[in-house]
Structure formats: structure tokens, C-alpha cells
Amino acid sequence: MSSDEVDENSNLEQLRDILINKSGDVKLSSRFRALFLLKSIGSEFEKDKVRANTAIRYIVECFKDNSELLKHEVAYVLGQTRNLDAAPLLRQVLADKNQQCMVRHEAAEALGALADIESLKMLQDYFENDPELEIRQTCELAIERIKWENSTASKTEILQESLYSSIDPAPPLAITQDEDKNESEKIAKLTRVLNDQEAALFERYRAMFRLRDIGTDEACLALASGFNDPSALFKHEIAYVFGQLCNPVTVPSLIKVLQDKSQAGMVRHEAAEALGSIATDEVLPILKSFLNDEEDVVRESAVVALDMYEYENSNEMEYATV
Ligand SMILES: [Fe+2]
Ligand SMILES: [Fe+2]
């Protein structure tokens, strides 16, 4: 085991040192692994609050880093911990205009994931006034998610059970009694909501997550129509969902987005990561061709995706020889 490898037995300080790259030569993929281990400790606040909050504090140290990719992931995982003690720290990141847009976006989204009522006022302010469209749209979603989470609707709506453990920017649209029994009709209706420029963004996201949870090839192809949307935020979420679905039918649409340099970095990054999760044979040479992309988040996503792929395969081989 080399010095920058970590596992469940590493202590909190070892994990922090890897995450913040204390030695200066830690691979990005190892830093990501340390982050995920710290995240699961940060989530266990009901078991051991002191240890959980120490993990949160160590994770937050990473916001001093330069890597937009790593920091946006840091903000994302903080939102997934359900640990409300992370909320004030995330508010600082949203307010910090020196942080890159993708990092601030993920901080705002994380406040929504935490359903932090105390952040509503701030989110409203940034929804109305932030110069970046992606931030305004994220705040709009986060506000709606917090309101929904604290509404009676969230207690009474019947939702399809999700295969995914992520806390998403919006819940799936509820199952209604009068909904189409015919699967294609149902998907067509959801696709209309998904792509309806007049509908509220939160509703459109709800359609997106319902289509994800349906998860058939037909639903995946319907989701791919979302790549025609003008919003970078919306498109990056479609790519994110494809990374969860891991359905090879999405590969052509993801490759198209990744190769299209007119797409925002956040969209291309998410497409690269999704392709990394799908990792069919055709995907690997494509990811390799982006190892030198001029966009930092795209290049780093390709590096991390390929590292993770290699790591998983080498581990499988190790297990196979035991
Ligand atoms: Fe995001
Ligand atoms: Fe991302």
C-alpha cells in the first residue's frame, strides 16, 4: 500500500492529510477516496457527533484548494451527509465570490439537500441577485426543495421508490392515481414537462428524476432530449443522472456533449464522469482523448474517471487471486 492510499481503517487525520494533499504529491483519485471516507464519517453524527463534526471540519479545509472539480465534490458530499452543522460552512462558500461558479452552485444545492430552513433568506437573496445564471437557478431549486421537504406534500405524496441513495435537487414527480398505465404515454407526458420552458424549473427537475426512477431505455432516451435545453445547469443534471443510471443507451448522447466545446465546463465534466461510470470498452479511448483538454474540470474528470476505473479493476484482480 503506498503512502497516499487510504481505507476504512485510516484515522481522521490521515484522511484529512490525503484529502488536502499535505505531502504535495497525492493523486487526485486518492483525494477523492479520502473525501468519500470522511463523508461517511461526517454522516454518522447520530452515532458520534464529535467525530462526525471533526470529519466535516476536515472536509471543509479543502475549500482552500485550487481544484474546482475537487471543491465542487466537497460541497456536494457535505450536502449528502444530512449533517446540519455543515450548513453555515456551505453558506460561506456560496457567499465567497472567489470560489468558482461550479463550487458555489454545489454549495447552494447542498443547502437544499440539507433542507436547511435557516438558509432560505440567503438563497432568496442569491436567487434574485447573483450575477451567475447557474447560481440563480440552483438557488431557485434549493428554495423549492426546502419548502417541499417541510411541506405536507412531502409527507402525503406517493413517490416511486428510488434505486439511488442520493439526495437530489428535487424529488421525483409523485405517482398519481389517474396516471397512464401505458408506459410510453407516461414517458411522453413526463418528457413534455421535462422540456417545457414555461414550467417551473423545480417541476421540470421532478419530471427528470421520475424518468430516472422509471429507468428503462425509453426513459433514458427521453432524458437525453434534455440536452437540447439552453440551461447549462439543467444539462449537467441530465448528465449526472446518466452517471447514476449507467445505461449504455445514453453513451452516444454523452459523447456528443463531451466533445462539444461550446458546452459549459460543468456540463462536459458531468458527461465525462458519467461516461467513466458507464465504462464500456468504447468509452475508455474517448476518455483518454480528453486527458489533455484545456478545460480544467474536463481534464481532471477524465483523469479521475480513468484512475477510478483502473483502481476498481486492479482491486478485482487482487480479490480474484485471494
Ligand atoms: Fe451540480
Ligand atoms: Fe459535478
Side-chain angles (χ1 to χ4, degrees):
M1 197 181 191
S2 78
S3 63
D4 65 354
E5 280 184 31
V6 283
D7 60 29
E8 300 74 34
N9 301 318
S10 311
N11 68 38
L12 285 179
E13 285 67 33
Q14 283 170 324
L15 292 172
R16 175 202 53 200
D17 293 350
I18 297 297
L19 174 62
I20 64 170
N21 187 15
K22 197 171 177 195
S23 69
D25 58 6
V26 183
K27 269 173 51 180
L28 197 53
S29 53
S30 302
R31 302 178 71 189
F32 271 94
R33 275 193 289 279
L35 174 61
F36 292 122
L37 291 166
L38 281 169
K39 177 220 152 185
S40 59
I41 299 165
S43 313
E44 292 174 346
F45 52 91
E46 277 165 359
K47 207 166 100 192
D48 187 341
K49 196 171 168 76
V50 175
R51 189 171 144 81
N53 285 3
T54 306
I56 299 285
R57 243 190 18 254
Y58 288 170
I59 290 174
V60 168
E61 283 188 32
C62 205
F63 282 119
K64 294 190 206 113
D65 203 86
N66 289 327
S67 167
E68 182 177 3
L69 186 77
L70 183 64
K71 285 186 294 184
H72 103 296
E73 201 67 35
V74 162
Y76 173 77
V77 304
L78 287 172
Q80 299 293 307
T81 60
R82 298 179 196 268
N83 188 337
L84 273 171
D85 288 327
L89 306 159
L90 286 163
R91 288 198 287 266
Q92 283 173 20
V93 176
L94 173 58
D96 182 355
K97 299 272 167 82
N98 292 318
Q99 291 289 1
Q100 297 97 332
C101 176
M102 206 164 91
V103 181
R104 295 181 60 231
H105 139 71
E106 220 58 63
E109 190 176 284
L111 291 167
L114 292 172
D116 180 40
I117 297 181
E118 292 193 13
S119 298
L120 276 175
K121 215 168 141 284
M122 178 186 194
L123 289 166
Q124 187 68 32
D125 178 21
Y126 283 77
F127 162 56
E128 285 166 19
N129 301 312
D130 200 90
E132 307 266 12
L133 176 62
E134 290 83 2
I135 302 292
R136 294 198 301 277
Q137 290 183 326
T138 307
C139 290
E140 177 183 348
L141 289 167
I143 291 165
E144 292 307 315
R145 186 179 185 283
I146 295 170
K147 286 187 183 160
W148 180 84
E149 188 71 43
N150 291 289
S151 69
T152 47
S154 69
K155 324 265 163 342
T156 52
E157 282 181 354
I158 301 166
L159 305 182
Q160 182 178 331
E161 210 182 315
S162 174
L163 288 171
Y164 308 96
S165 56
S166 55
I167 308 169
D168 302 311
L173 278 175
I175 299 173
T176 54
Q177 279 179 336
D178 59 348
E179 81 180 18
D180 266 298
K181 298 280 170 285
N182 178 309
E183 196 72 2
S184 294
E185 293 289 331
K186 186 160 67 185
I187 290 173
K189 262 193 200 154
L190 288 166
T191 311
R192 280 198 291 280
V193 181
L194 178 79
N195 292 321
D196 181 357
Q197 300 293 319
E198 304 302 314
L201 196 54
F202 190 66
E203 279 305 293
R204 300 179 61 206
Y205 266 57
R206 293 197 69 175
M208 189 192 300
F209 288 104
R210 182 78 205 278
L211 284 165
R212 176 197 66 183
D213 291 344
I214 292 172
T216 55
D217 287 1
E218 199 182 355
C220 288
L221 294 171
L223 281 166
S225 68
F227 280 139
N228 297 319
D229 200 84
S231 159
L233 189 79
F234 188 85
K235 286 184 280 192
H236 106 293
E237 202 64 36
I238 296 274
Y240 173 81
V241 159
F242 282 175
Q244 291 186 307
L245 282 160
C246 283
N247 185 332
V249 299
T250 65
V251 166
S253 65
L254 287 165
I255 292 176
K256 194 167 156 226
V257 167
L258 175 59
Q259 286 175 334
D260 178 358
K261 304 238 164 132
S262 71
Q263 298 282 356
M266 85 189 299
V267 182
R268 295 179 64 224
H269 131 72
E270 215 62 64
E273 288 205 344
L275 288 167
S277 320
I278 301 170
T280 49
D281 291 344
E282 65 183 311
V283 160
L284 292 177
I286 299 204
L287 281 177
K288 283 189 185 139
S289 73
F290 288 93
L291 284 171
N292 295 312
D293 198 84
E294 62 258 33
E295 186 90 52
D296 288 352
V297 292
V298 174
R299 188 177 60 249
E300 289 186 344
S301 300
V303 170
V304 172
L306 289 164
D307 272 355
M308 297 272 186
Y309 178 83
E310 234 169 63
Y311 176 82
E312 262 148 44
N313 282 292
S314 67
N315 264 15
E316 265 165 39
M317 262 148 49
E318 268 171 38
Y319 292 136
T321 57
V322 174

